[in-house]
Amino acid sequence: MEESSKLPLPEAFVNFLEANGIDPSIYTTSDSTPRYLRLKPGSEAELEEIEAEIKCTLDKVNWLPGFYSLPPDIQIANSKPYKDGKIYGIDAASGAAVSALKISPGDHVLDLCAAPGAKLCMMLDLLDDSGSVTGVDVARHRLAACRTLLQKYSLDHRCRLFVADGTTFSLAPLRADSVSRSYESASEEKDDKFGEWTSRRPWKERKRAAKAREGKSSQLTAVSENPELIFYGRHSGVVGLSKNELYKTINDLQVSRCGYDKVLVDAECTHDGSVRHIQKFEYWGWTTLQHRVLDAERTDSLAVLQLKLLRNGFRLLKVGGLLVYSTCSLTVAQNEDIVDHFLKENASAELQEIDEAKGWPCKSGRIPMTLRFDPLTSQTSGLFVARFTKLAT
């Protein structure tokens, strides 16, 4: 196995790490952090066959059900089990963030920053055959990749995907008791109802979608009046609805009763907790690191975005529901500072201890009941995790 670079890190980056209590050796020592994968439920009996196909023994992750570790140099993308949808790659720390949501069959779950989709797959695995998952992302091409992933693993039946800004997304889950079948005017055509999803959409619909994307300020952001629905499964609650029913808004009082049971806000960040990501800057150039990670303007704008995502995710959470906020940054500004600011402005938000974490290889964050994973402590990628519940007010 090749060793990662041992070139000196830029002084500005070392100072940045020390200011955040991060050991610089995470980035300069040999990369021994394993890769992780999740076995699709029902494939356990085929473990030996899977190991033979990828030419590697999989080590069970005892603290996280369904997860296995493998050496970092083993590639699975071209293996038969991967192509057949029996395994998918997801870091154990990311799996822990999903586990902290305590998803149960029947839950309605919102993933507010859904791409690239591995956590979305795990959520749908945990739902089994009831409930729903709504995936939202501002990047259309990344969300389209999520769609491909869900279809590959046959996990798409209870999911709907929207291209939308997570800071303003406002659609509630399609609960049986929250969608009223109101009287429809005679002018409303039957073909306004959503039938079963097909990638071969009618020409008129494709034209409307293309027109809605015209005038976008960037290729990443959709600016149509309503979020763009780019996929929905047979049992996602969309089939049979009209557009008016799908895009119906509800007030805060209704959200408290009919909002999402579980919300994940895995917010956009500087990705400094991902060792493999940081190591790429040796090839990209350390000046690029200065702009993407260390630049004060960028980190300040990210903190504003992260707080907005957390606020909106919490707004869409029902009373008694659980929200997990996570980032793959190890900085205080993008984690504990966001949590502290949010708690001070939300009397109905309560930070909750993650009981499941008693057996997890992680450290406490600077705020009690928050958690930090890092390569040295956890043998995973870096991740910050905090769990909230919504109180009745």
Side-chain angles (χ1 to χ4, degrees), residues 140 147 163 194 197-199 201-216 221-231 243 247:
R140 191 179 195 279
R147 177 179 62 200
V163 180
F194 288 95
W197 170 264
T198 172
S199 58
R201 293 181 295 168
W203 177 80
K204 286 184 178 179
E205 187 177 337
R206 293 201 306 272
K207 187 177 179 181
R208 283 199 299 267
K211 187 175 181 181
R213 292 196 297 272
E214 286 178 3
K216 289 186 296 183
T221 308
V223 294
S224 54
E225 184 179 348
N226 289 318
E228 182 188 359
L229 178 65
I230 68 163
F231 179 77
K243 286 185 172 63
Y247 291 111

Side-chain angles (χ1 to χ4, degrees), residues 28 34 37-38 45 56-57 66 108 121 133 139 144 152 163 165 180 216 218 225 227 238-239 253 258 293 310 390:
T28 56
L37 58 81
R38 179 172 166 81
C56 170
T57 299
H108 293 280
C121 286
V133 173
K152 171 183 175 179
V163 180
D165 182 346
S180 60
K216 289 186 296 183
S218 76
E225 184 179 348
V238 174
V239 175
L253 183 62
C258 302
V293 178
L310 179 52
K390 180 180 276 189

Side-chain angles (χ1 to χ4, degrees), residues 31-35 72 91 274-281 381:
D31 186 3
S32 59
T33 304
R35 293 181 183 271
D91 192 79
S274 171
V275 175
R276 291 185 181 92
H277 181 79
I278 292 298
Q279 287 169 352
K280 291 176 184 176
F281 285 103
S381 188

Side-chain angles (χ1 to χ4, degrees), residues 45-201:
E46 302 173 60
L47 182 59
E48 287 187 11
E49 181 183 330
I50 291 170
E51 289 177 327
E53 290 283 355
I54 64 175
K55 299 179 175 60
C56 170
T57 299
L58 297 176
D59 293 326
K60 190 172 185 179
V61 178
N62 293 322
W63 56 274
L64 199 60
F67 277 72
Y68 294 81
S69 68
L70 62 162
D73 58 332
I74 298 294
Q75 302 296 321
I76 65 172
N78 293 320
S79 69
K80 189 174 185 298
Y82 179 81
K83 291 178 179 178
D84 290 347
K86 295 176 182 176
I87 57 176
Y88 55 89
I90 175 173
D91 192 79
S94 296
V98 175
S99 293
L101 282 171
K102 300 175 70 172
I103 293 172
S104 301
D107 279 344
H108 293 280
V109 186
L110 172 63
D111 187 350
L112 208 52
C113 308
K119 291 185 286 296
L120 205 63
C121 286
M122 184 175 172
M123 291 174 180
L124 287 154
D125 265 343
L126 295 173
L127 274 186
D128 199 17
D129 61 354
S130 60
S132 70
V133 173
T134 298
V136 175
D137 205 276
V138 72
R140 191 179 195 279
H141 69 287
R142 282 165 56 82
L143 199 63
C146 289
R147 177 179 62 200
T148 301
L149 202 63
L150 295 179
Q151 291 173 320
K152 171 183 175 179
Y153 292 107
S154 300
L155 291 168
D156 52 341
H157 297 312
R158 296 191 171 275
C159 188
R160 55 183 188 155
L161 300 176
F162 291 97
V163 180
D165 182 346
T167 67
T168 56
F169 181 78
S170 59
L171 301 183
L174 297 175
R175 297 175 180 273
D177 58 348
S178 66
V179 179
S180 60
R181 307 288 179 176
S182 56
Y183 173 76
E184 295 173 6
S185 66
S187 63
E188 189 162 13
E189 300 289 341
K190 283 186 178 179
D191 61 7
D192 280 337
K193 298 281 189 181
F194 288 95
E196 288 197 18
W197 170 264
T198 172
S199 58
R200 298 174 62 88
R201 293 181 295 168

